[in-house]
């Protein structure tokens, strides 16, 4: 394992060191450097500190573990790989994500999962252990967003205007959230056993990563939100 002290490194110097070889790295003293591991594969990088914006942007197979919080745009347009956040995450997590998995132990800011998409076997997954801010899943076109609401302490587990413009993928919310305010083009219903089978493996992975009891998670019902039709906005993007 290679150790990197990032205290006196800017993001370019830090990424240069990470690109020199594959394998395992531990980065200490991270102080807001942007674009860490952008586009990288064949690496397992553990980060102590707080990375800056666009951690793991365009990630192409690497695994990133952050022992703390992160800023905005984590996993921006990531293609594959895995990002594990042991704290909370800023705005626009998983923006245009098209593959791979992001696991967040804590909360997420605004616009998590915006423009997520999928193609054939490429199905991105974003799991948020706490609560998510407003505009969750805005224009979601594919993939799965799972919000567990751990530590919600009686408040709603998602903010205002969820699923605005959603036209693909699925969103799973722990608890009966069918009475929340969703836009007219989506359907919110209690998840059936078949729905739960689709996410059981991701719940198990979350619990293994963050030392949770999966039976506690699955003791609650889940709400699944899906678009009413395959692409209700097609007329806005395709010429007649």
């Amino acid at each position: 394992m290679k150790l990197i002290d990032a205290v006196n490194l800017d993001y370019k110097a830090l990424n240069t060191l990470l690109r020199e070889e594959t394998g395992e790295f531990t980065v200490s003293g991270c102080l807001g450097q942007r674009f860490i591991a952008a586009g990288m594969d064949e690496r397992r990088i553990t980060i102590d500190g707080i990375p800056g914006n666009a951690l793991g942007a365009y990630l192409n197979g690497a695994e990133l573990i952050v022992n703390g919080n992160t800023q905005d745009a984590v996993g921006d347009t990531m293609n594959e790989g895995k990002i594990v956040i042991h704290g909370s995450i800023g705005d626009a997590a998983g923006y245009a994500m098209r593959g791979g998995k992001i696991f967040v132990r804590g909360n997420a800011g605004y616009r998590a999962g915006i423009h997520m998409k999928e193609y054939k076997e490429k199905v991105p997954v974003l799991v948020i252990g706490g609560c998510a801010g407003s505009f969750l899943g805005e224009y979601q076109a594919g993939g799965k967003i799972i919000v567990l609401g751990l530590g919600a302490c009686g408040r709603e587990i998602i903010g205002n205007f969820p699923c605005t413009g959603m036209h693909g993928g699925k969103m799973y919310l722990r608890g009966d959230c069918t009475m929340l305010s969703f836009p007219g083009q989506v359907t919110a219903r209690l998840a059936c056993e078949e729905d739960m089978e689709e996410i059981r493996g991701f719940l198990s992975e979350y619990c293994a990563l963050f030392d949770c009891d999966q039976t506690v998670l699955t003791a609650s019902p889940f709400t699944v939100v899906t678009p009413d039709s395959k692409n209700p906005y097609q007329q806005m993007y395709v010429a007649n």
Side-chain angles (χ1 to χ4, degrees):
M1 178 184 293
K2 186 171 182 180
L3 304 178
I4 299 175
D5 183 353
V7 169
N8 295 312
L9 299 178
D10 65 12
Y11 74 92
K12 291 182 180 178
L14 175 55
N15 274 326
T16 296
L17 291 174
L18 291 171
R19 289 192 181 99
E20 284 181 349
E21 56 187 88
T22 58
E24 293 198 23
F25 295 81
T26 293
V27 177
S28 64
C30 190
L31 296 170
Q33 290 92 338
R34 300 168 292 161
F35 312 122
I36 296 175
M40 293 187 187
D41 58 10
E42 299 182 12
R43 292 159 182 81
R44 187 176 191 269
I45 304 169
T46 300
I47 300 171
D48 294 323
I50 301 178
N53 291 352
L55 170 74
Y58 305 101
L59 199 69
N60 201 34
E63 180 178 356
L64 311 180
I65 302 100
V66 180
N67 294 320
N69 299 323
T70 59
Q71 295 185 18
D72 300 339
V74 171
D76 183 345
T77 324
M78 70 181 285
N79 188 48
E80 58 182 302
K82 182 174 170 179
I83 302 177
V84 178
I85 310 299
H86 283 268
S88 292
I89 202 167
D91 296 339
Y95 176 88
M97 186 181 176
R98 55 196 182 193
K101 296 178 285 188
I102 299 176
F103 292 92
V104 184
R105 182 170 194 164
N107 301 318
Y110 292 165
R111 289 191 160 90
I114 179 175
H115 283 300
M116 279 178 64
K117 58 200 72 176
E118 65 183 73
Y119 181 69
K120 295 185 178 179
E121 76 283 357
K122 291 271 193 184
V123 181
V125 177
L126 171 60
V127 183
I128 299 164
C131 300
S134 297
F135 300 102
L136 176 69
E138 187 177 30
Y139 301 111
Q140 184 181 352
K144 293 178 174 63
I145 299 174
I146 304 169
V147 185
L148 302 178
L150 298 172
C153 299
R155 69 186 180 98
E156 303 294 358
I157 69 172
I158 58 175
N160 298 321
F161 314 113
C163 309
T164 302
M166 180 183 187
H167 55 280
K170 289 185 177 181
M171 183 182 295
Y172 293 82
L173 307 174
R174 183 168 164 265
D176 185 351
C177 301
T178 55
M179 300 306 293
L180 297 181
S181 180
F182 293 99
Q185 85 275 1
V186 304
T187 297
R189 58 176 173 78
L190 290 179
C192 63
E193 182 59 28
E194 183 178 351
D195 296 317
M196 293 305 297
E197 278 301 311
E198 291 187 13
I199 64 168
R200 207 173 301 278
F202 304 121
L203 297 180
S204 178
E205 191 170 0
Y206 177 92
C207 289
L209 288 168
F210 303 122
D211 194 24
C212 313
D213 185 347
Q214 188 169 347
T215 60
V216 173
L217 293 184
T218 54
S220 298
F222 274 72
T223 300
V224 60
V225 185
T226 55
D228 280 339
S229 60
K230 186 175 181 181
N231 189 351
Y233 296 99
Q234 185 175 13
Q235 67 272 18
M236 295 175 64
Y237 303 105
V238 179
N240 294 324

